[in-house]
Amino acid sequence: MKKAEEAFDLKREFLGKGLLAFSFTILLALLSQIRIPLTFTPVPLTLQTFGVLLIGYYLGARLGILSILLYLLLGALGFPLFSGVKGGILVLSGPTGGYLLGFLAGVYLVGKAKELSLIQKPIYAFFCGVFAHLVIYFFGVLWFVSGYKFFSTSYTLREILTLTVFPFLPWDVIKSLLFAFFVLSEKRVKEAFKK
């Protein structure tokens, strides 16, 4: 009887964690639709990476990765979760595919930093957010370059960064500041409830 109860508790915990991860997957899908297309690059401005920061912070590294994997898998299967209400494997293999895959590294970084208590202060949360964006850029740039090399199109480093990084830096600094604000707000709310 005790083993059956333990098995039931494990199943309930597993289901609860799965639903939590899925709810953040939906949040990321919604934030993906807030986008500003840019005429000079196929990569739009979105709130996706802000979602990645929140997922890493609230779910941690492992569950955060599960949430991002769900997002990528469902999107690849054709569900319109990606930016621009798009889905399908072609989006993952397109010019923004590297950024999408970089979400895994970004969410792991933020989740691990939270688990190790490295982002308790807003200033640390801000720098963690900036660093997570840089990691996502790294994957995006690599993917972008490899894709255009495949099509025998050559760009200078400056041109590549102009297409993949420079336009997004101010926007992503703002998202990192917003993330730091969330960390500060959560801390103040917790302190208020302790009184």
Side-chain angles (χ1 to χ4, degrees):
M1 190 73 173
K2 196 174 182 181
K3 283 185 179 179
E5 285 176 9
E6 286 174 1
F8 179 75
D9 286 343
L10 277 173
K11 284 179 184 175
R12 190 170 60 184
E13 184 184 353
F14 181 76
L15 182 62
K17 285 184 176 179
L19 287 172
L20 184 62
F22 182 69
S23 68
F24 275 89
T25 299
I26 298 303
L27 173 68
L28 181 58
L30 292 173
L31 290 174
S32 298
Q33 306 320 316
I34 300 169
R35 65 193 297 268
I36 303 168
L38 300 175
T39 56
F40 56 89
T41 176
V43 185
L45 294 171
T46 71
L47 281 180
Q48 284 174 305
T49 53
F50 180 63
V52 172
L53 300 180
L54 292 179
I55 290 169
Y57 185 75
Y58 287 107
L59 297 186
R62 290 168 118 186
L63 206 55
I65 283 180
L66 175 63
S67 183
I68 299 293
L69 282 173
L70 277 170
Y71 174 75
L72 296 176
L73 178 64
L74 292 172
L77 289 173
F79 290 90
L81 305 184
F82 298 142
S83 178
V85 200
K86 292 178 184 171
I89 199 74
L90 286 177
V91 178
L92 272 180
S93 60
T96 60
Y99 298 97
L100 293 170
L101 295 174
F103 290 176
L104 292 166
V107 82
Y108 179 82
L109 187 138
V110 176
K112 208 65 185 168
K114 169 78 184 288
E115 290 164 10
L116 296 172
S117 301
L118 299 176
I119 50 177
Q120 290 180 325
K121 294 184 178 180
I123 188 70
Y124 298 149
F126 169 73
F127 284 116
C128 183
V130 169
F131 189 62
H133 278 100
L134 292 176
V135 168
I136 293 168
Y137 290 158
F138 175 75
F139 284 91
V141 171
L142 275 184
W143 188 271
F144 195 86
V145 169
S146 62
Y148 278 97
K149 280 197 185 275
F150 177 77
F151 290 110
S152 301
T153 307
S154 60
Y155 284 99
T156 65
L157 180 61
R158 184 178 178 78
E159 287 172 331
I160 290 167
L161 294 178
T162 299
L163 290 169
T164 59
V165 175
F166 294 154
F168 311 104
L169 281 171
W171 181 241
D172 292 335
V173 166
I174 292 169
K175 285 186 266 184
S176 298
L177 283 169
L178 191 57
F179 174 59
F181 173 76
F182 266 81
V183 171
L184 177 64
S185 301
E186 185 195 52
K187 190 178 178 184
R188 286 187 175 167
V189 167
K190 283 181 177 177
E191 286 170 358
F193 275 106
K194 281 179 183 176
K195 291 177 183 177

